[in-house]
Amino acid sequence: MIEPNEDLKRLIRTIPNHPLPGVQFRDITTLLGDSYGLGECVRRLADRLRDVGGHKVAGIEARGFIIGGAVAAALGLGFVPVRKRGKLPFETVGRDYELEYGTDRVEIHVDAMRPGEKVILIDDLIATGGTALAAVELFRTVGVDVAASAFVVDLPDLGGSQRLREAGVPVATLIAFPGA
Ligand code: AMP
């Protein structure tokens, strides 16, 4: 049987043991560098997100900026960067989250969105969901609902997409890599 989006999956490069032994790094730069692949990826995500009622699209640093910016333009919406600690120039609001070793923080500008608005959250890949869930909680603290989230790649066995759905966020993904 042909998997959905098999044509796009074939354009993703897997790098074994990067950045740590045992990690299969799913490198989307080969997909982004392909004129057919980039356009199709953005078009298919945008088709899944057109009717969710988002006021803006937010992308998570850094690869989420590439996909999120393109999807925002395809949907005719503005873009909000979700950045790691200390990168945004204006006043920010942030949320700390646990990593395997230590903590990290996601931040947005205080005036990026208005309370009551809805955002569509985008990243290249969802693994444990820690980063995306922190972003969801951050938006919720400023009164913004995450109408939907979207990822090019899902690593379903790491549980992130399920965690997001359990948190009440609809999840759209194009390609799944079972296993770690
Ligand atoms: P997580 O917070 O565990 O869902 O991790 C998601 C973030 O880490 C995304 O921004 C991905 O770009 C990156 N990431 C995690 N695991 C991988 C992997 N196996 N291949 C490529 N990127 C990954």
Side-chain angles (χ1 to χ4, degrees), residues 25-41:
F25 192 86
R26 308 299 180 178
D27 174 20
I28 66 154
T29 63
T30 41
L31 170 64
L32 298 175
D34 186 276
S35 55
Y36 168 84
L38 176 61
E40 277 303 301
C41 177

PDB file of all heavy atoms in Angstrom, residues 25-41:
ATOM      1  N   PHE A  25      17.928  11.222  13.059  1.00  0.00           N
ATOM      2  CA  PHE A  25      17.566  12.614  12.794  1.00  0.00           C
ATOM      3  C   PHE A  25      16.866  12.706  11.444  1.00  0.00           C
ATOM      4  O   PHE A  25      17.417  12.302  10.414  1.00  0.00           O
ATOM      5  CB  PHE A  25      18.807  13.513  12.820  1.00  0.00           C
ATOM      6  CG  PHE A  25      18.465  14.981  12.829  1.00  0.00           C
ATOM      7  CD1 PHE A  25      18.205  15.637  14.015  1.00  0.00           C
ATOM      8  CD2 PHE A  25      18.385  15.695  11.640  1.00  0.00           C
ATOM      9  CE1 PHE A  25      17.865  16.985  14.026  1.00  0.00           C
ATOM     10  CE2 PHE A  25      18.041  17.046  11.644  1.00  0.00           C
ATOM     11  CZ  PHE A  25      17.783  17.687  12.843  1.00  0.00           C
ATOM     12  N   ARG A  26      15.639  13.226  11.444  1.00  0.00           N
ATOM     13  CA  ARG A  26      14.871  13.365  10.205  1.00  0.00           C
ATOM     14  C   ARG A  26      15.131  14.759   9.647  1.00  0.00           C
ATOM     15  O   ARG A  26      14.585  15.754  10.151  1.00  0.00           O
ATOM     16  CB  ARG A  26      13.383  13.155  10.480  1.00  0.00           C
ATOM     17  CG  ARG A  26      13.057  11.880  11.223  1.00  0.00           C
ATOM     18  CD  ARG A  26      13.483  10.629  10.474  1.00  0.00           C
ATOM     19  NE  ARG A  26      13.149   9.407  11.226  1.00  0.00           N
ATOM     20  CZ  ARG A  26      13.383   8.185  10.790  1.00  0.00           C
ATOM     21  NH1 ARG A  26      13.973   7.981   9.623  1.00  0.00           N
ATOM     22  NH2 ARG A  26      13.045   7.144  11.514  1.00  0.00           N
ATOM     23  N   ASP A  27      15.968  14.823   8.635  1.00  0.00           N
ATOM     24  CA  ASP A  27      16.477  16.079   8.101  1.00  0.00           C
ATOM     25  C   ASP A  27      15.568  16.557   6.970  1.00  0.00           C
ATOM     26  O   ASP A  27      15.567  15.969   5.881  1.00  0.00           O
ATOM     27  CB  ASP A  27      17.905  15.843   7.600  1.00  0.00           C
ATOM     28  CG  ASP A  27      18.498  17.043   6.896  1.00  0.00           C
ATOM     29  OD1 ASP A  27      17.997  18.164   7.102  1.00  0.00           O
ATOM     30  OD2 ASP A  27      19.478  16.853   6.137  1.00  0.00           O
ATOM     31  N   ILE A  28      14.811  17.649   7.239  1.00  0.00           N
ATOM     32  CA  ILE A  28      13.869  18.127   6.216  1.00  0.00           C
ATOM     33  C   ILE A  28      14.517  19.098   5.236  1.00  0.00           C
ATOM     34  O   ILE A  28      13.842  19.586   4.326  1.00  0.00           O
ATOM     35  CB  ILE A  28      12.612  18.775   6.825  1.00  0.00           C
ATOM     36  CG1 ILE A  28      12.958  20.064   7.575  1.00  0.00           C
ATOM     37  CG2 ILE A  28      11.827  17.805   7.694  1.00  0.00           C
ATOM     38  CD1 ILE A  28      11.806  21.046   7.651  1.00  0.00           C
ATOM     39  N   THR A  29      15.819  19.402   5.392  1.00  0.00           N
ATOM     40  CA  THR A  29      16.424  20.371   4.451  1.00  0.00           C
ATOM     41  C   THR A  29      16.382  19.843   3.017  1.00  0.00           C
ATOM     42  O   THR A  29      16.306  20.622   2.067  1.00  0.00           O
ATOM     43  CB  THR A  29      17.887  20.731   4.822  1.00  0.00           C
ATOM     44  OG1 THR A  29      18.701  19.564   4.736  1.00  0.00           O
ATOM     45  CG2 THR A  29      17.976  21.320   6.216  1.00  0.00           C
ATOM     46  N   THR A  30      16.401  18.520   2.863  1.00  0.00           N
ATOM     47  CA  THR A  30      16.330  17.945   1.515  1.00  0.00           C
ATOM     48  C   THR A  30      14.925  18.115   0.924  1.00  0.00           C
ATOM     49  O   THR A  30      14.779  18.300  -0.285  1.00  0.00           O
ATOM     50  CB  THR A  30      16.720  16.458   1.575  1.00  0.00           C
ATOM     51  OG1 THR A  30      16.136  15.862   2.748  1.00  0.00           O
ATOM     52  CG2 THR A  30      18.237  16.305   1.655  1.00  0.00           C
ATOM     53  N   LEU A  31      13.917  18.074   1.777  1.00  0.00           N
ATOM     54  CA  LEU A  31      12.536  18.346   1.336  1.00  0.00           C
ATOM     55  C   LEU A  31      12.371  19.829   0.995  1.00  0.00           C
ATOM     56  O   LEU A  31      11.801  20.195  -0.036  1.00  0.00           O
ATOM     57  CB  LEU A  31      11.558  17.930   2.448  1.00  0.00           C
ATOM     58  CG  LEU A  31      10.097  18.333   2.321  1.00  0.00           C
ATOM     59  CD1 LEU A  31       9.444  17.685   1.121  1.00  0.00           C
ATOM     60  CD2 LEU A  31       9.324  17.950   3.580  1.00  0.00           C
ATOM     61  N   LEU A  32      12.907  20.693   1.863  1.00  0.00           N
ATOM     62  CA  LEU A  32      12.804  22.138   1.633  1.00  0.00           C
ATOM     63  C   LEU A  32      13.525  22.564   0.362  1.00  0.00           C
ATOM     64  O   LEU A  32      13.117  23.506  -0.314  1.00  0.00           O
ATOM     65  CB  LEU A  32      13.403  22.915   2.818  1.00  0.00           C
ATOM     66  CG  LEU A  32      12.752  22.728   4.187  1.00  0.00           C
ATOM     67  CD1 LEU A  32      13.553  23.464   5.259  1.00  0.00           C
ATOM     68  CD2 LEU A  32      11.309  23.227   4.172  1.00  0.00           C
ATOM     69  N   GLY A  33      14.607  21.854   0.044  1.00  0.00           N
ATOM     70  CA  GLY A  33      15.431  22.220  -1.115  1.00  0.00           C
ATOM     71  C   GLY A  33      14.864  21.733  -2.433  1.00  0.00           C
ATOM     72  O   GLY A  33      15.421  22.037  -3.493  1.00  0.00           O
ATOM     73  N   ASP A  34      13.778  21.003  -2.378  1.00  0.00           N
ATOM     74  CA  ASP A  34      13.181  20.437  -3.583  1.00  0.00           C
ATOM     75  C   ASP A  34      11.975  21.295  -3.991  1.00  0.00           C
ATOM     76  O   ASP A  34      11.053  21.481  -3.192  1.00  0.00           O
ATOM     77  CB  ASP A  34      12.736  18.995  -3.277  1.00  0.00           C
ATOM     78  CG  ASP A  34      12.236  18.292  -4.508  1.00  0.00           C
ATOM     79  OD1 ASP A  34      11.046  18.469  -4.847  1.00  0.00           O
ATOM     80  OD2 ASP A  34      13.024  17.572  -5.136  1.00  0.00           O
ATOM     81  N   SER A  35      11.967  21.813  -5.212  1.00  0.00           N
ATOM     82  CA  SER A  35      10.924  22.776  -5.602  1.00  0.00           C
ATOM     83  C   SER A  35       9.534  22.140  -5.529  1.00  0.00           C
ATOM     84  O   SER A  35       8.585  22.766  -5.062  1.00  0.00           O
ATOM     85  CB  SER A  35      11.203  23.349  -6.989  1.00  0.00           C
ATOM     86  OG  SER A  35      11.340  22.295  -7.914  1.00  0.00           O
ATOM     87  N   TYR A  36       9.408  20.896  -5.949  1.00  0.00           N
ATOM     88  CA  TYR A  36       8.118  20.201  -5.845  1.00  0.00           C
ATOM     89  C   TYR A  36       7.788  19.954  -4.375  1.00  0.00           C
ATOM     90  O   TYR A  36       6.670  20.212  -3.912  1.00  0.00           O
ATOM     91  CB  TYR A  36       8.183  18.876  -6.605  1.00  0.00           C
ATOM     92  CG  TYR A  36       7.011  17.952  -6.331  1.00  0.00           C
ATOM     93  CD1 TYR A  36       5.819  18.083  -7.029  1.00  0.00           C
ATOM     94  CD2 TYR A  36       7.105  16.934  -5.365  1.00  0.00           C
ATOM     95  CE1 TYR A  36       4.747  17.241  -6.781  1.00  0.00           C
ATOM     96  CE2 TYR A  36       6.040  16.085  -5.106  1.00  0.00           C
ATOM     97  CZ  TYR A  36       4.861  16.246  -5.812  1.00  0.00           C
ATOM     98  OH  TYR A  36       3.801  15.412  -5.555  1.00  0.00           O
ATOM     99  N   GLY A  37       8.768  19.478  -3.629  1.00  0.00           N
ATOM    100  CA  GLY A  37       8.542  19.079  -2.241  1.00  0.00           C
ATOM    101  C   GLY A  37       8.109  20.230  -1.364  1.00  0.00           C
ATOM    102  O   GLY A  37       7.138  20.120  -0.603  1.00  0.00           O
ATOM    103  N   LEU A  38       8.795  21.360  -1.465  1.00  0.00           N
ATOM    104  CA  LEU A  38       8.445  22.500  -0.610  1.00  0.00           C
ATOM    105  C   LEU A  38       7.027  22.985  -0.918  1.00  0.00           C
ATOM    106  O   LEU A  38       6.204  23.167  -0.013  1.00  0.00           O
ATOM    107  CB  LEU A  38       9.457  23.641  -0.802  1.00  0.00           C
ATOM    108  CG  LEU A  38       9.136  24.918  -0.021  1.00  0.00           C
ATOM    109  CD1 LEU A  38       9.100  24.667   1.485  1.00  0.00           C
ATOM    110  CD2 LEU A  38      10.150  26.014  -0.340  1.00  0.00           C
ATOM    111  N   GLY A  39       6.730  23.167  -2.192  1.00  0.00           N
ATOM    112  CA  GLY A  39       5.413  23.681  -2.573  1.00  0.00           C
ATOM    113  C   GLY A  39       4.292  22.744  -2.154  1.00  0.00           C
ATOM    114  O   GLY A  39       3.260  23.187  -1.629  1.00  0.00           O
ATOM    115  N   GLU A  40       4.488  21.447  -2.385  1.00  0.00           N
ATOM    116  CA  GLU A  40       3.447  20.471  -2.040  1.00  0.00           C
ATOM    117  C   GLU A  40       3.240  20.381  -0.533  1.00  0.00           C
ATOM    118  O   GLU A  40       2.127  20.244  -0.042  1.00  0.00           O
ATOM    119  CB  GLU A  40       3.824  19.087  -2.582  1.00  0.00           C
ATOM    120  CG  GLU A  40       3.456  18.883  -4.018  1.00  0.00           C
ATOM    121  CD  GLU A  40       1.959  19.092  -4.279  1.00  0.00           C
ATOM    122  OE1 GLU A  40       1.143  18.378  -3.673  1.00  0.00           O
ATOM    123  OE2 GLU A  40       1.630  19.965  -5.073  1.00  0.00           O
ATOM    124  N   CYS A  41       4.350  20.407   0.190  1.00  0.00           N
ATOM    125  CA  CYS A  41       4.288  20.319   1.647  1.00  0.00           C
ATOM    126  C   CYS A  41       3.460  21.488   2.198  1.00  0.00           C
ATOM    127  O   CYS A  41       2.545  21.307   3.009  1.00  0.00           O
ATOM    128  CB  CYS A  41       5.734  20.355   2.148  1.00  0.00           C
ATOM    129  SG  CYS A  41       5.894  20.357   3.888  1.00  0.00           S
TER     130      CYS A  41
END
